[in-house]
């Protein structure tokens, strides 16, 4: 499609594309072609309205989505013309702004970005300074409380204990120390990227006006997933010209647990009077019966914008419902259907997806898939750049760029072992704290520290000399990959893995992961016009599901294998055949929603997302009983099953459709799931 050929757009899509100025809310139902509308709108603004690419800002939630959006626009109007356009995630947009103007907040421009492991390590160190009745605390839970506060734009001095929980008291004590330490290290965490950018724009009107003038047209994808900090950022940037176009679906808002505010999309017209609202309801993904089921379920939610998905492609087959004896029977029934469908229709394994509410549900299906020699991929788990051996390698690079990054400096100080033990490290740290000088400065001249032996001083001097040498080599910008490989060899990172990992096969896999860092750098160099070590580390810090490595989501989905994943992970994907399993009270809706009295609406939206992943065939299943603590316990069909009209559902054999009343469901759920949270997580 050229920039001027919009003939394949339906009337509502065309209306959204051709909106000129002022606020625009596009309510895009599942499978309604929203990405196409956004990209066509950008192309229309550039080609038909004369808007320069440098004036356009498009914001997404993942690097993959940003990359695909840019590529589509480039196909329409040309790569050269699109070069000045900014298509970015919220975090990478904020990095761009902060790299340019963070000095106004008292930071240096070469700040480090702390990932989860760096944050946890710092929190653990700071918690040692706080004693609450001798209790030990989980650093991740404390960090979550701090992260939640930042996403709600609450700075340390305004943090209030809301639930009188010991973890909140610990967070209240650690949060100010944590922010002070980050600034001392010239570092920020992911939540800071948005919070500090919002603060920068609020406190410095000249900076705000600069970006308002730069970005005259702003487009935001998945607006229903924005939190308070992202909401404020967008309102600030668009507050002058009001040319803000947001695209989203309130029915697919499933991230409330991590701060997403449904009110942002429901109340958009209040925030931007005069908003034009366009509903995209024609679905290009699923059959009519699947859409009818989805519409019937989501209609039970009160807080939503009324819309109903429809398709011009016909009703399709009925939705299948399987009520199985137990989890093993459920897994066998799903395998039978996969075998049958493949034989009858000559399908690939990758045409099938098994979706569940909690990761614990995957076990029975994994075992059955292995037993029947069916290839499968499990989406989820540890990402490439979160692996220890990879983080150790990247830590060296982070210190080369920012010597004040003391979390990573301490990580590599004696790794691999070089004779600077814990006692010596503690003396170095105390000397740094007592004299209020950076640890790196102490390492450069440790001669006046008492009780450091000659061997320790020699080890420190050699470490500093090596780091300074590699810093100079990377600064020359040439042969970066070769320099990295030489650094890995000289510091003995791979040798340390072979020395400390007993299992040779596991050691080889970890060494391959270290080597993959060099491959990632090579890929970065191919894509960037002006590469640098700092730029590579910035990309690493901002990467999401499209990370390199054998476990990346994209590579897994490219295989010919059955896909197992949580419903949360499936958002944005589609499969010809979907099995939505574990449709029971306690799973979907989750027991946490039932036991804590949380609004059930988000669980229903999650069910809606699961249903709308299916293109041709949808199978819903549950079990009459499941094992818990070695004993079989009765299960209750999900209330969402009863919300699907009976004439859309085909129940197989003697597997009866759910008939339990709401009172029976509540009674059984209370009895059967009173302790389920001991074994289940989100």
């Amino acid at each position: 499609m050229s920039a001027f050929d919009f003939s394949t757009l339906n009337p509502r899509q065309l209306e959204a594309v051709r909106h000129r100025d002022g606020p625009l809310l596009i309510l895009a139902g599942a499978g309604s072609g929203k990405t196409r509308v956004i990209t066509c709108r950008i192309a229309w603004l550039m080609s038909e309205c004369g808007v320069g690419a440098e004036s356009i800002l498009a914001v997404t939630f993942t690097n993959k989505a940003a990359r695909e959006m840019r590529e589509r626009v480039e196909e329409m109007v040309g790569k050269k013309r699109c070069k000045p356009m900014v298509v970015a995630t919220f975090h990478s947009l904020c990095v761009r702004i902060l790299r340019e103007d963070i000095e106004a907040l008292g930071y240096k421009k070469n700040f480090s970005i702390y990932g989860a492991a760096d944050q946890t390590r710092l929190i653990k160190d700071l918690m040692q300074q706080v004693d609450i009745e001798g209790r030990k605390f989980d650093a991740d839970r404390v960090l979550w409380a701090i992260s939640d506060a930042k996403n709600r734009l609450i700075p340390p001095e305004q943090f209030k204990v809301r639930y009188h929980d010991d973890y909140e008291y610990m967070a209240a004590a650690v949060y100010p120390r944590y922010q002070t330490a980050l600034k001392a290290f010239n570092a920020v965490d992911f939540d800071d990227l948005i919070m500090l950018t919002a603060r920068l724009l609020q406190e410095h009107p000249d900076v705000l006006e600069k970006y308002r003038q730069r970005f005259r047209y702003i487009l935001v994808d998945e607006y229903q997933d924005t939190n308070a900090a992202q909401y404020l950022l967008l309102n600030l940037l668009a507050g002058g010209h009001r040319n803000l176009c947001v695209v989203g679906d309130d029915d697919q808002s499933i991230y409330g647990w991590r701060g997403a505010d449904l009110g942002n999309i429901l109340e958009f017209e209040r925030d931007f009077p005069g908003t034009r609202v366009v509903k995209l309801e024609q679905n290009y993904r699923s059959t009519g019966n699947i859409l009818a089921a989805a519409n019937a379920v989501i209609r039970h939610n009160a807080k939503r914008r009324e819309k109903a998905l429809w398709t011009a492609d016909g009703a399709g087959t009925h939705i299948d419902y399987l009520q199985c004896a137990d989890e093993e029977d459920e897994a066998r029934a799903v395998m039978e259907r996969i075998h049958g469908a493949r034989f009858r229709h000559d399908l690939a394994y990758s045409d099938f997806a098994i979706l569940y509410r909690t990761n614990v549900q995957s076990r029975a299906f994994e075992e059955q898939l292995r037993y029947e020699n069916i290839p499968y991929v499990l989406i989820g788990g540890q990402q490439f750049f979160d692996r220890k051996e990879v983080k150790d390698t990247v830590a060296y690079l982070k210190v080369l760029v920012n010597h004040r990054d003391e979390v990573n400096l301490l990580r590599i100080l004696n790794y691999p072992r070089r004779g600077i033990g814990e006692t010596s490290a503690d003396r170095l740290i105390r000397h740094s704290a007592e004299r209020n000088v950076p640890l790196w400065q102490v390492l450069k001249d440790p001669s006046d520290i008492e009780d450091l032996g000659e061997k320790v001083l020699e080890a420190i001097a050699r470490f500093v000399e090596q780091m300074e040498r590699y810093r100079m080599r990377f600064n020359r910008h040439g042969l970066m990959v070769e320099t990295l490989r030489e650094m890995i060899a000289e510091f003995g990172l791979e040798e340390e893995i072979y020395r400390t990992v007993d299992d040779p096969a596991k050691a080889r896999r970890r060494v391959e992961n270290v080597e993959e860092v060099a491959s990632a750098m090579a890929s970065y160099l191919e894509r960037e016009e002006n590469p640098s070590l700092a730029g590579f580390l910035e990309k690493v810090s901002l990467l999401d599901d499209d990370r390199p490595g054998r476990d990346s989501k994209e590579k897994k989905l490219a295989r010919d294998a059955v896909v197992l994943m949580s419903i949360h992970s499936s958002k944005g994907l589609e499969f010809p055949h979907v099995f939505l399993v574990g449709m029971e009270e306690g799973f979907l809706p989750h027991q946490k929603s039932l036991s804590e009295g949380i609004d059930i609406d988000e669980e229903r939206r999650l069910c809606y997302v699961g249903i709308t992943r299916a293109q041709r065939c949808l199978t819903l299943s549950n079990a009459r009983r499941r094992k818990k603590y070695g004993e079989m316990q009765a299960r209750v069909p999900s209330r969402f099953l009863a919300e699907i009209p009976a004439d859309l559902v085909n129940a197989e054999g003697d597997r009866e459709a759910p008939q339990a009343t709401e009172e029976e469901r509540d009674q059984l759920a209370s009895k059967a799931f009173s302790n389920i949270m001991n074994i289940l997580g989100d």
Side-chain angles (χ1 to χ4, degrees):
M1 183 193 296
S2 73
F4 306 96
D5 179 18
F6 300 131
S7 60
T8 59
L9 297 174
N10 67 46
R12 296 287 75 75
Q13 291 175 329
L14 194 59
E15 180 185 355
V17 166
R18 288 182 168 171
H19 173 77
R20 181 62 168 91
D21 291 330
L24 173 65
L25 169 60
I26 304 174
L27 293 169
S32 62
K34 67 180 178 63
T35 304
R36 189 170 170 215
V37 169
I38 297 174
T39 52
C40 285
R41 175 164 171 74
I42 294 172
W44 184 80
L45 286 170
M46 293 173 62
S47 300
E48 300 288 325
C49 304
V51 177
E54 68 281 357
S55 298
I56 295 174
L57 167 64
V59 187
T60 71
F61 275 84
T62 68
N63 292 315
K64 179 174 178 286
R67 185 173 63 248
E68 290 177 351
M69 189 181 297
R70 174 176 282 279
E71 289 171 354
R72 289 198 194 187
V73 177
E74 288 174 349
E75 287 177 5
M76 293 189 222
V77 299
K79 192 170 184 177
K80 185 176 181 181
R81 192 171 179 185
C82 289
K83 191 174 181 180
M85 180 176 64
V86 176
V87 183
T89 65
F90 277 99
H91 289 106
S92 57
L93 168 66
C94 290
V95 169
R96 179 189 294 259
I97 293 172
L98 292 174
R99 290 288 183 210
E100 194 170 321
D101 292 292
I102 198 172
E103 288 178 338
L105 298 178
Y107 292 78
K108 293 183 179 178
K109 290 185 178 181
N110 68 332
F111 59 86
S112 296
I113 303 171
Y114 276 17
D118 298 329
Q119 293 174 267
T120 301
R121 182 167 179 170
L122 179 55
I123 291 289
K124 285 179 179 178
D125 291 341
L126 295 172
M127 285 197 304
Q128 294 177 4
Q129 303 172 15
V130 182
D131 180 35
I132 298 181
E133 299 178 352
R135 277 197 59 186
K136 290 192 177 296
F137 290 83
D138 179 357
D140 288 333
R141 279 187 62 182
V142 174
L143 185 57
W144 184 90
I146 294 172
S147 174
D148 179 62
K150 289 186 177 184
N151 286 329
R152 290 184 290 119
L153 295 169
I154 300 173
E157 62 273 13
Q158 295 177 14
F159 185 87
K160 305 291 184 186
V161 175
R162 294 180 293 169
Y163 306 116
H164 300 288
D165 172 76
D166 282 351
Y167 272 93
E168 290 232 332
Y169 284 112
M170 176 58 79
V174 169
Y175 188 8
R177 293 177 170 88
Y178 175 66
Q179 284 304 104
T180 300
L182 283 175
K183 192 165 186 182
F185 300 156
N186 194 38
V188 300
D189 64 21
F190 270 82
D191 301 312
D192 283 332
L193 291 175
I194 299 176
M195 188 172 78
L196 288 177
T197 303
R199 182 183 145 202
L200 173 70
L201 299 180
Q202 282 181 306
E203 295 179 0
H204 299 275
D206 57 324
V207 177
L208 173 59
E209 186 58 28
K210 177 176 72 171
Y211 289 105
R212 281 181 174 176
Q213 291 298 322
R214 183 178 301 180
F215 301 128
R216 302 291 298 175
Y217 289 85
I218 302 174
L219 303 93
V220 186
D221 194 11
E222 304 287 6
Y223 188 69
Q224 78 280 349
D225 294 336
T226 54
N227 60 29
Q230 293 159 339
Y231 166 84
L232 175 61
L233 176 67
L234 293 170
N235 277 19
L236 287 167
L237 289 173
H241 49 69
R242 299 175 76 246
N243 291 326
L244 176 62
C245 166
V246 301
V247 185
D249 182 7
D250 52 300
D251 290 335
Q252 295 188 75
S253 179
I254 59 173
Y255 297 113
W257 50 275
R258 70 182 188 195
D261 187 350
L262 181 63
N264 291 350
I265 191 168
L266 293 180
E267 299 170 5
F268 185 80
E269 294 157 281
R270 179 204 65 187
D271 300 326
F272 289 88
T275 293
R276 172 181 281 187
V277 180
V278 178
K279 294 182 182 180
L280 304 183
E281 297 172 293
Q282 183 173 358
N283 178 279
Y284 296 93
R285 173 190 298 158
S286 306
T287 64
N289 284 337
I290 291 171
L291 297 179
N295 289 334
V297 170
I298 202 64
R299 199 173 291 127
H300 286 77
N301 276 2
K303 295 179 181 178
R304 63 183 293 265
R305 299 294 294 261
E306 183 57 40
K307 54 188 172 299
L309 297 178
W310 62 277
T311 179
D313 292 339
T317 61
H318 278 67
I319 295 164
D320 288 330
Y321 168 65
L322 309 176
Q323 190 176 50
C324 307
D326 54 30
E327 61 262 46
E328 313 302 334
D329 184 40
E330 185 181 32
R332 284 192 296 269
V334 170
M335 297 312 125
E336 288 173 10
R337 289 187 158 255
I338 291 175
H339 282 308
R342 287 191 74 245
F343 178 76
R344 287 192 303 272
H345 305 295
D346 192 27
L347 300 173
Y349 283 117
S350 57
D351 288 332
F352 301 89
I354 301 171
L355 309 182
Y356 37 77
R357 173 64 174 85
T358 64
N359 288 321
V360 73
Q361 294 171 255
S362 72
R363 180 201 57 80
F365 297 98
E366 287 190 77
E367 289 181 359
Q368 193 66 29
L369 286 159
R370 285 196 297 266
Y371 178 76
E372 302 195 24
N373 293 316
I374 297 176
Y376 73 93
V377 291
L378 181 69
I379 304 298
Q382 193 176 38
Q383 295 291 333
F384 177 75
F385 278 100
D386 290 332
R387 298 179 182 275
K388 178 187 180 300
E389 61 273 14
V390 175
K391 293 191 74 65
D392 290 334
T393 307
V394 172
Y396 274 88
L397 302 178
K398 287 184 175 181
V399 174
L400 291 177
V401 170
N402 179 11
H403 286 158
R404 296 178 68 182
D405 185 348
E406 295 191 1
V407 166
N408 283 298
L409 178 54
L410 290 170
R411 184 185 186 104
I412 66 174
L413 186 58
N414 198 42
Y415 184 86
R417 294 180 185 178
R418 56 176 57 88
I420 310 173
E422 288 186 12
T423 302
S424 299
D426 185 60
R427 291 189 179 115
L428 292 165
I429 294 167
R430 280 193 282 109
H431 189 82
S432 169
E434 290 167 2
R435 285 160 178 74
N436 195 29
V437 295
L439 179 59
W440 181 256
Q441 189 173 324
V442 173
L443 292 175
K444 292 180 72 173
D445 184 18
S447 56
D448 60 340
I449 302 177
E450 296 181 352
D451 300 324
L452 287 181
E454 284 299 317
K455 289 186 176 180
V456 174
L457 291 172
E458 289 174 7
I460 293 172
R462 175 167 172 73
F463 172 69
V464 169
E465 181 275 325
Q466 289 173 305
M467 294 294 287
E468 290 285 10
R469 176 157 41 87
Y470 279 104
R471 182 175 65 84
M472 295 299 295
R473 290 185 62 182
F474 275 112
N475 281 344
R476 296 191 189 106
H477 301 313
L479 303 175
M480 285 177 61
V481 175
E482 292 79 359
T483 301
L484 173 58
R485 290 194 172 118
E486 289 176 23
M487 187 195 79
I488 290 169
E490 182 171 337
F491 282 110
L493 297 179
E494 295 180 350
E495 291 176 9
E496 183 72 358
I497 292 172
Y498 283 122
R499 188 183 70 79
T500 55
V501 178
D502 294 330
D503 183 348
K506 187 179 292 185
R508 279 195 300 275
R509 286 196 297 271
R510 292 185 178 179
V511 167
E512 287 170 3
N513 287 335
V514 172
E515 293 170 351
E516 190 68 28
V517 177
S519 299
M521 181 177 282
S523 298
Y524 162 78
L525 293 174
E526 290 174 2
R527 294 191 304 268
E528 293 295 318
E529 294 183 9
N530 299 301
S532 66
L533 182 56
F536 171 68
L537 292 174
E538 187 173 292
K539 294 292 185 185
V540 168
S541 297
L542 296 174
L543 283 171
D544 44 54
D545 287 338
D546 52 346
R547 295 171 178 178
R550 295 167 303 167
D551 293 324
S552 73
K553 188 172 180 179
E554 274 189 272
K555 287 188 176 181
K556 284 184 175 181
L557 291 172
R559 299 179 197 167
D560 184 21
V562 175
V563 177
L564 274 71
M565 66 197 315
S566 70
I567 304 174
H568 279 104
S569 298
S570 74
K571 188 167 178 290
L573 300 176
E574 55 188 39
F575 303 91
H577 289 248
V578 167
F579 296 89
L580 192 53
V581 301
M583 292 289 292
E584 302 153 20
E585 298 287 296
F587 277 158
L588 188 65
H590 195 280
Q591 180 61 24
K592 189 171 184 180
S593 298
L594 302 175
S595 61
E596 297 183 6
I598 299 174
D599 191 348
I600 211 75
D601 283 8
E602 183 156 324
E603 292 294 303
R604 186 173 282 107
R605 291 193 291 270
L606 197 57
C607 180
Y608 174 85
V609 167
I611 291 173
T612 54
R613 297 313 93 196
Q615 295 172 293
R616 303 291 102 193
C617 297
L618 172 65
T619 301
L620 309 173
S621 68
N622 57 17
R624 294 190 184 93
R625 57 190 183 275
R626 290 183 188 271
K627 275 186 180 177
K628 179 181 173 185
Y629 305 133
E631 295 182 2
M632 282 293 185
Q633 294 191 356
R635 304 290 291 191
V636 183
S638 169
R639 67 191 68 192
F640 304 144
L641 286 168
E643 295 172 357
I644 299 174
D647 60 353
L648 299 176
V649 180
N650 173 44
E652 181 182 293
D654 61 352
R655 294 183 169 105
E656 300 172 354
Q659 299 296 330
T661 66
E662 185 171 348
E663 183 179 359
E664 289 171 335
R665 284 199 301 270
D666 290 342
Q667 289 175 351
L668 280 169
S670 176
K671 180 179 179 181
F673 307 129
S674 59
N675 295 317
I676 200 169
M677 286 305 292
N678 292 328
I679 59 171
L680 294 181
D682 283 331

